[in-house]
Every structure is written in structure tokens, then in C-alpha cells.
Amino acid sequence: MKPLPDARLNRRKRTDRAFRVLALASAAAVLLSLVIILGAILWKSLPALSLSMLTRTPKGGFYLGKEGGILNAIVGSLELAIGATAIAFLLSLPLVLYLNVYKGRASKTAVWTRFFLDVLWGVPSIVYGAFGFIVMLALGLRASLLAGMLTVALLEFPIMSRAIDEVMRLVPRELKEASASLGATRFETAVKVLVRQSAPGILTGVLLAFGRGVGDAASVLFTAGFTDRVPGGLLDPAATLPLAIFFQLGTPFPEVRERAYASAAILTLIILVISLAGRALGRKATRHVVK
Amino acid sequence: MNGETPISIRRLSVYYGDLQVLKDVSLDIPARKITVIIGPSGCGKTTLLKSLNRLLDTAEGVRVRGQVLLDGEDIYAPRTEVTRIRKKMGLLSQKPQVLPMSIYENVAYGPRLHGLKSKKELARRVEHYLRVAGLWDEVRDRLREPASTLSVGQQQRLCLARGLAVEPEIILGDEPTSALDPQSSQNVERRLLELKRDYTVVVVTHILRQARRIADHLAFLYLGELVEQGPAAEVFAGPRDPRTRAYLTGEIS
């Protein structure tokens, strides 16, 4: 081959270098903002972070700067998000298996279902909150852990379904055929082969949805309510960390605002711990995945 | 069993949407022999093979006309139980597709589906068919490891063991050596030659030399049409149809 003229080669090299700089710059910007956000929250929360924040419920005058903690919101958020994630999972998995095993991936049903899930994904959480509120009123329920769970489950459902679906679509048809050719029914193929093969995607989907659910304020504002006590049952109102942050940040007292940052730090920590734990657990579940 | 022809294909046509992929194919497959279906890529070989255990049904927009008689029973009759048809056949695909589970579980998968529960019997069957597939000595100490840790050649023999473990009568091979290195290919070919003592074998290939090495019965498929079939030695020695002759001499490929 004839060597390229130098001028053109140089231009191509320059473009290449310029793009590299651009890519590095955006990577740095993303990392830096993450560090700044986490740093700022931790820095602001340091004066308020204490063991009693984690272990005590708000006592009288907590929102005026007197003592107590946010145990109510920590427990409420965990119970609510775990419950909601469980419900969303029970809805998502059968739907996704149906789309990928029973329906061809390009069937009309599958295409339209995916479209509607994408639309639902984009619906703002306050709309889910408002919808949950209407349903509650219609059923004569009051704000409760259960109502919050169901609303957040609705919010998580499209996120989880689409995340799992994207991974399950990548399972080669030949793998399903291999299972079928051994005499497996579609159900057996779905449960024994597809679920295992997509285990990493299922895990990611669940963690993603959990993260969205535990951190959402608008959907629980009207449906779960808020209380200073740890919820005693499904029909009791439940406090949540995002709302705790919201209320504490809205006061004129600096020491209470510090508590808002402490709550934010705790919420971030919870998401971090659950993600890491999920990944560690998932390592065992994913060792059989066929590359 | 229907004596000499366990599979009898009668005037089979297959359409993908408006495209006719198989045209009125009729073929009798002799028992305990290796029948090799040859033909250029895209001539419908794989479709023909997949039509034998009704894997075509999983694709959308596929229409099938005609009959495939398995031991005298039409597998496309509306009341035929698909899983029972498939249990009678083991399939080797182009690229080995191991299941996302351990080596042991891959072989035990089929028998378990069909209701085998006894652990002892399962272990016996797994060992037996891994031996038949010529894999036992290589994996006996690592049965609990993920099947995906095996080499591609080993994976294909695992797929063979897995297919045999459901105790089929027929083995289907869809270009079963096309993803393998020469040595692994030879190994798989040798297995097939051994297996024809007990099983009816149908192999699709576009490798003529492979067909010469293993075929007892030969069928040539061209543009969806079954051009010629007969005992392999006869077809190779004196093809009757000019298209077969052209293919065998490499004029069309």
C-alpha cells in the first residue's frame, strides 16, 4: 500500500489526540463531581453524625435542634424499599420471562410492552405519588408503609423490568434451543436456563430499582406519610430518609440542617452497602454464566 | 421402532414468511447409519435438520407443510407432544451451547427434566455418557466447575454427552465440527462413527471431506430442493444429477 500523505496523517493523529483529551476531561469531570458531592455531604454532616443519629428516634423538639436520631427514617426507608423491591421483582421477572421465552423478541406484544415500560420509566415520581394517593383515597386507606411500598413498587417496576429485559434479550436463541432440544418446556427453559444466564443482569436491575426506590421522596410524600416512630406494622405510617432530609433541610436551625446532611450521608451509605453486598452475593450466582 | 427408517420426511416445505426455504423435500433416513446432508450455505440444510425435532416452531413467521414421520408418527400432527419428540433426539449445534451450570448439571439436566430423581442413578448416567462422549477422563475431577470453563472442543463433547443422557434414538448434528479445531473435529467424528452402532445419526455439513469420511447415506440439498440421495459410496462415485456432480467437483459451492 502507498503511504498516506503526511499532512493527512498528521491531521488524523491530531483528531485522535484531541478526542483522547476530550474523553479524559469528561471522565475527570464526572469523577470530580462525584467526589465533590460526597465530600460536601460528609463534610457538612460531620458535626451531626453520631451514634445516636443511627440508634434513636426523634425525641421532643428534635426538629428544633434537641436530641434524638433518625432511626425511624432509616428503618422506614429500608422496610419500604425492600418491600417495594420485592413486589416489583415478583412483577418484573414473570413479565420479562414472558417477553423473552413465550413471545418472540420481535413480536408485536413484546415491542409494545417495551414501549410502555419505557414511557413508565420516564414518568416523574410525583405522578406515581399522586396516583397512589388517589387509589388510597378510593380505598379509604390512610398513608401507611403498605401504601408507600405499593407506590414505590410501581415506580421501580419499569426500571427493573427494562434493565433485566435488556440483558435477557442478549441470551442467544441457540441456548434456548439447546434446552428445548433436551425436552424442556418453555417454563423449564425460562426458570432453569434464562434466569441463570441473566443472573448478573437481574442483580443489576434489582439494585438499580432499589437505589431509585430508597432515594425517592416524591412518591412517598403522600402515600407513606411521616412519623417519629419506627413503623409497627404495614398499616402504620412510615418515615423515610428522603423526606427526613427534606423536612430537616427546610428548618431555619443550622444544627437541624446539619442533620439533613447526616441523613443524606446515611442514605448514600445504605445504597453503597447494599450495592456492594449485592455484588458479593451475586458473584456466586453468576459463576456459571456462559460467555 | 419402524425397522429400517426411523425418520421419513414426506414432501416437506418450509416457508419463512414469503420465502420458501425447503421445496417438497422427501427423504428416508436409515436406522443406525450416518446420513449426511450436504449442500452450499443457505440451501436449507439447517432448516431441514431443525424441522426434524420441531425447533422451527420457536421462530416466528415459520410455516411448515408436509409430514415428518418419526417411527411412523407425524410429528407435525396437532396432537403430537413436542417434548416427547425432542426426547427421542439429541442435537449438536454449530457452536457448542453449554447450559449456564456445572459440567455435571449439564448432563443431568435432561434426565432430571424427564423425571429421574435418584441421585445414584443420575451420577451413574452422567459418568456413563461422559465416557461415551470421550470426556470423562478430562473432567472427572472438576464436575462441579462451570461448563463454560471447558475448551470449545470439550464443550462440544459435553453437549454430545448431554444429548445422549436423555437416551434418544437419533442424534442430529448441525455442522457439529465447524467451530472446532482439527483435532477436536476428528474426536467428534470418531464419536459419531462409534455411536452409529446404537443410534441413527443425521449430520449436516458443508465440508465434503467430512461427508466422505463419515457418511453411509448421502443427501444433496441445493436451493431448498433435495437433488439427489442414496448410499454415500454410490453418490460419490457416480452422481446422477449434473448439479450434484458440479457440487462434488467444486464447481458450485
Side-chain angles (χ1 to χ4, degrees), chain A residues 13-51:
Chain A
K13 276 188 175 164
R14 265 203 308 281
T15 316
D16 193 53
R17 220 171 296 135
F19 186 76
R20 220 176 91 107
V21 170
L22 187 71
L24 275 175
S26 32
V30 170
L31 266 178
L32 203 66
S33 18
L34 190 68
V35 169
I36 290 175
I37 292 172
L38 286 178
I41 288 171
L42 277 178
W43 180 250
K44 288 277 238 175
S45 68
L46 273 181
L49 265 184
S50 66
L51 202 61

Side-chain angles (χ1 to χ4, degrees), chain A residues 84-187:
Chain A
T85 307
I87 296 169
F89 184 68
L90 290 178
L91 290 172
S92 297
L93 194 63
L95 174 82
V96 175
L97 287 174
Y98 175 72
L99 291 183
N100 284 285
V101 183
Y102 288 85
K103 285 277 145 193
R105 35 191 125 185
S107 77
K108 265 198 186 125
T109 324
V111 169
W112 279 103
T113 308
R114 289 195 178 104
F115 173 71
F116 284 124
L117 285 174
D118 286 342
V119 172
L120 284 177
W121 186 324
V123 169
S125 55
I126 187 75
V127 177
Y128 285 101
F131 173 73
F133 190 58
I134 297 171
V135 175
M136 268 169 48
L137 288 185
L139 294 176
L141 284 171
R142 56 180 193 142
S144 62
L145 183 58
L146 181 67
M149 256 183 212
L150 292 173
T151 311
V152 174
L154 278 182
L155 170 82
E156 289 186 14
F157 166 65
I159 300 170
M160 203 187 287
S161 302
R162 284 297 275 131
I164 298 176
D165 182 48
E166 281 303 318
V167 176
M168 234 175 238
R169 281 164 86 178
L170 299 178
V171 174
R173 210 182 75 167
E174 290 78 14
L175 191 60
K176 294 185 233 175
E177 286 183 355
S179 172
S181 74
L182 293 164
T185 61
R186 287 175 183 194
F187 177 72

Side-chain angles (χ1 to χ4, degrees), chain A residues 198-216:
Chain A
S198 339
I202 294 175
L203 191 72
T204 308
V206 168
L207 290 177
L208 194 67
F210 175 84
R212 250 323 274 289
V214 78
D216 195 67

